Amino acid sequence: EITRGQIVSLSGALLLIYLILSTLFGSLRVGAIALVPNLLPIAAFFGILGATGITLNLATSLVATVALGIAVDDSIHYFSRFNTESRRLANEELGVERAISAIIRPVTFTTAALCAGFLALMVSDLQSQVEFGILAACTLFIAWLVDLTLSPALSSGLRFVTLWEVLTVDLGAEPHKKIGLFHGLTHRQARIAALFGRIEPYEPGDRIISFGEQGHEICVLIEGVVVVQVERPEGNRVLRALHTGEVFGEVALFTGKRSANIDAMTDVRVLWLNQESLERIQSRYPAIAAQLFWNLTGTVSHRLADITSRV
């Protein structure tokens, strides 16, 4: 009955944790990867039982569930910190280093305190409590070791978007309907795409883009109005005004050189997406990237047709 209970309870817990991790990290694959470091300590626990001959009894059957709960907590801390640092630095390997340096001290201290607390049961007169304390301490130590070795190795090539980031990014109401670049995407997909870039605010009169400067980024006007103008000997010539949802800077994305000045007319917010961002979206979310490139092609085509009609 105890063995059957372990199988049922751990299987149910792992399935539920997998669903939570997948929802949190926005990917079934990343959820599975994050679950692996939590499985190994449990496997090691049952291996220790077999190697030492300690029986699976009412006391020792609690070790796996305790270790699982604590290991999942440490894994979420690590993967969340890794995601933040790797996006900020635009480098997964540096993200791993920064994440480990940030969590190694608190994770080590909490693991040491928990192991010491469980090892205190070794002075108990009940053999079952002694076994529980030793097994719990050993399993938690293995979980700590896995979190600082296997987790970084698994995550070094990852790039993912967490649920919290998707919920907090501000693109205004219905960005998939109001922003041309995001047409055909769901609300969530639009937010995911935006998280691979950066959103910058500007005040009236600020120059966002200058003619002739180098750059490989496109800009999405999230909010406000900007004016496009070019410099001429007789003075600046205004080409057009752009409003919320429109894209500008698409020429430089392919040529690397800005073809006009862009100035803010009101308080504006601009989403910047560079070539590296688009490549990362293409690698991580190919369906989103395909729709973005289709929409971008449509934008370029319409502007080319507008220029041709004027000529």
Side-chain angles (χ1 to χ4, degrees):
E1 288 296 327
I2 293 175
T3 302
R4 186 181 299 109
Q6 287 279 281
I7 295 173
V8 173
S9 62
L10 288 176
S11 298
L14 289 171
L15 177 60
L16 182 60
I17 290 171
Y18 169 66
L19 294 176
I20 292 174
L21 291 174
S22 299
T23 302
L24 174 63
F25 297 133
S27 168
L28 296 176
R29 183 173 69 94
V30 176
I33 291 174
L35 190 62
V36 171
N38 303 295
L39 290 173
L40 289 185
I42 298 175
F45 159 69
F46 287 110
I48 293 173
L49 287 183
T52 60
I54 298 176
T55 60
L56 183 64
N57 52 52
L58 291 176
T60 57
S61 64
L62 300 175
V63 173
T65 54
V66 170
L68 179 60
I70 295 173
V72 167
D73 181 62
D74 291 342
S75 294
I76 291 176
H77 278 297
Y78 168 77
F79 279 96
S80 297
R81 187 57 179 259
F82 158 75
N83 189 49
T84 300
E85 294 295 340
S86 62
R87 178 171 288 110
R88 184 175 65 85
L89 299 170
N91 186 301
E92 284 80 4
E93 293 183 358
L94 287 178
V96 168
E97 295 178 8
R98 295 293 178 86
I100 292 178
S101 63
I103 73 163
I104 187 170
R105 181 176 295 180
V107 168
T108 300
F109 285 163
T110 54
T111 301
L114 288 168
C115 289
F118 284 119
L119 289 175
L121 295 175
M122 292 178 62
V123 300
S124 173
D125 293 331
L126 297 177
Q127 182 64 24
S128 60
Q129 289 189 351
V130 174
E131 293 174 348
F132 173 80
I134 294 175
L135 288 170
C138 290
T139 305
L140 289 177
F141 173 77
I142 294 171
W144 169 83
L145 193 62
V146 168
D147 277 331
L148 296 182
T149 54
L150 182 62
S151 293
L154 291 174
S155 64
S156 59
L158 289 178
R159 173 59 65 93
F160 53 90
V161 173
T162 67
L163 175 65
W164 313 123
E165 293 169 312
V166 173
L167 294 177
T168 55
V169 64
D170 182 14
L171 296 179
E174 299 184 322
H176 56 304
K177 296 180 180 179
K178 296 181 179 179
I179 298 175
L181 189 65
F182 296 152
H183 282 174
L185 300 177
T186 65
H187 194 169
R188 181 176 179 276
Q189 287 176 326
R191 289 171 176 263
I192 289 175
L195 286 169
F196 282 82
R198 72 181 194 279
I199 297 178
E200 299 285 350
Y202 297 92
E203 297 179 352
D206 287 349
R207 173 145 294 178
I208 303 172
I209 288 177
S210 298
F211 173 79
E213 69 180 0
Q214 299 295 313
H216 289 277
E217 296 174 303
I218 59 171
C219 302
V220 182
L221 190 57
I222 303 299
E223 179 182 331
V225 180
V226 300
V227 63
V228 183
Q229 51 188 344
V230 293
E231 297 178 0
R232 292 290 184 265
E234 63 274 13
N236 290 341
R237 178 182 177 184
V238 177
L239 299 181
R240 69 175 67 89
L242 302 177
H243 300 80
T244 299
E246 297 194 70
V247 175
F248 56 92
E250 69 279 359
V251 173
L253 179 66
F254 302 102
T255 65
K257 189 175 182 179
R258 302 299 183 185
S259 58
N261 295 324
I262 309 290
D263 297 317
M265 298 294 290
T266 64
D267 289 327
V268 302
R269 291 191 302 127
V270 175
L271 169 64
W272 293 77
L273 288 169
N274 57 24
Q275 287 184 343
E276 183 182 2
S277 300
L278 294 172
E279 289 172 359
R280 289 180 181 277
I281 296 173
Q282 185 177 21
S283 173
R284 183 66 187 85
Y285 299 96
I288 296 178
Q291 189 63 47
L292 291 179
F293 291 137
W294 176 263
N295 293 336
L296 182 59
T297 301
T299 298
V300 173
S301 299
H302 283 109
R303 291 191 176 164
L304 178 60
D306 178 60
I307 292 175
T308 302
S309 65
R310 293 185 183 186
V311 174

